[in-house]
Amino acid sequence: GESVGLHLPTLSVQEGDNSIINCAYSNSASDYFIWYKQESGKGPQFIIDIRSNMDKRQGQRVTVLLNKTVKHLSLQIAATQPGDSAVYFCAESRWAAGNKLTFGGGTRVLVKP
Amino acid sequence: GAGVSQSPSNKVTEKGKDVELRCDPISGHTALYWYRQSLGQGLEFLIYFQGNSAPDKSGLPSDRFSAERTGGSVSTLTIQRTQQEDSAVYLCASSGQTAMNTEAFFGQGTRLTVV
C-alpha cells in the first residue's frame, strides 16, 4: 500500500557536523511533505514542510530537499547540536485525503559531544 | 489552553477492562487525529476527524477501538476489553485546517499499560 518510509533507523552525528536524514515515499499524489521532531517523552513537533512542486526549502538551520524523480525526501540539519537529538519523522499529506498526515517510521538522531 | 491537552497522562488497567482516553484540541482547530506509538516505534494512525466530514477510521486496529468527537471539539478514544498488546502511548493532535495545513500540534500523550 501507499507509505512513507525511512532508510536508516539510527544516525549518530558528531556535534557541529551536518546531519542528513532520508525518507522514501511511494505516493506520487502527495501534495506536501513534512518533517517532525520528537524529543523523548514529548509529542512530535513540526519542523518544516515542502510543497510537492518545490525541490528545496530552507528554514533555520534546516533544509528539506525533495527529489520527485526517485521519490526521495531528506532533511539536512546544519551544525548539529545536542538539542537536535530526537526521533525525526517524515510525513505526507494530500488534499484529496482531507489533508490527513501519514507518517513514516522515524529515524533516531544521536548527537555525540 | 494554549496546546493540546490529553488525560490521563498515565493509565494502568487490567486486561479485559474498558478505558477512555480524552483529548482537548486547540480551540478552533477543525482537524483532530489519534495515533498510537509503541516504545521506540513510529506513529500508527488510528482515526482522523475533519470538521463535519465522516471520520476516517481506517487505522482502528479492531472493533474494540472507537472514537468520537463531540461538538467538533473534545474527543474520546475508547478501548473495550483491553489486551496487553494495547499497551502504548496514545497521542492526539489537532490542526487548524487552513488550505493545506501541515502543522499538527500534538499533546503529551496518554501512556496506557494493560496488566
Side-chain angles (χ1 to χ4, degrees):
Chain A
E2 297 167 345
S3 67
V4 183
L6 297 180
H7 292 305
L8 302 173
T10 303
L11 177 68
S12 292
V13 182
Q14 197 71 39
E15 182 178 354
D17 288 351
N18 296 335
S19 303
I20 301 176
I21 307 163
N22 297 303
C23 178
Y25 64 92
S26 59
N27 191 344
S28 300
S30 299
D31 293 302
Y32 271 86
F33 297 91
I34 313 102
W35 284 99
Y36 279 78
K37 173 186 180 182
Q38 186 177 26
E39 297 177 88
S40 181
K42 299 182 179 180
Q45 186 174 16
F46 174 91
I47 302 174
I48 191 169
D49 63 9
I50 186 168
R51 191 167 179 169
S52 60
N53 63 355
M54 299 172 63
D55 54 21
K56 182 179 181 179
R57 189 176 185 204
Q58 289 185 294
Q60 186 176 11
R61 277 201 312 118
V62 296
T63 301
V64 57
L65 299 177
L66 177 62
N67 185 331
K68 292 180 285 294
T69 301
V70 296
K71 296 183 181 177
H72 184 267
L73 180 74
S74 68
L75 179 71
Q76 300 179 0
I77 305 173
T80 310
Q81 302 170 358
D84 295 326
S85 292
V87 176
Y88 291 80
F89 294 98
C90 61
E92 63 93 20
S93 70
R94 280 169 286 142
W95 175 253
N99 296 341
K100 183 181 80 175
L101 289 173
T102 301
F103 283 85
T107 294
R108 182 175 302 279
V109 172
L110 299 175
V111 181
K112 298 178 290 185
Chain B
V4 177
S5 178
Q6 292 187 245
S7 61
S9 55
N10 283 282
K11 176 71 177 179
V12 180
T13 190
E14 292 182 349
K15 178 181 175 181
K17 300 285 189 182
D18 298 352
V19 294
E20 286 189 350
L21 311 180
R22 177 186 169 104
C23 174
D24 285 86
I26 292 173
S27 179
H29 279 189
T30 56
L32 186 146
Y33 304 79
W34 283 99
Y35 294 91
R36 179 169 71 175
Q37 187 173 35
S38 298
L39 186 63
Q41 301 299 311
L43 296 165
E44 178 186 3
F45 167 76
L46 297 177
I47 189 168
Y48 174 49
F49 297 90
Q50 182 197 348
N52 296 321
S53 302
D56 179 344
K57 303 180 181 180
S58 60
L60 294 178
S62 76
D63 59 8
R64 296 187 295 105
F65 288 73
S66 63
E68 62 178 24
R69 188 179 186 191
T70 54
S73 182
V74 173
S75 178
T76 302
L77 177 69
T78 301
I79 309 173
Q80 296 178 310
R81 306 180 301 282
T82 52
Q83 303 295 314
Q84 288 185 331
E85 60 263 29
D86 299 334
S87 296
V89 175
Y90 289 81
L91 289 162
C92 175
S94 71
S95 66
Q97 199 54 46
T98 52
M100 279 298 297
N101 193 296
T102 54
E103 184 171 5
F105 295 84
F106 283 79
Q108 295 283 80
T110 293
R111 181 175 299 277
L112 175 66
T113 304
V114 182
V115 298

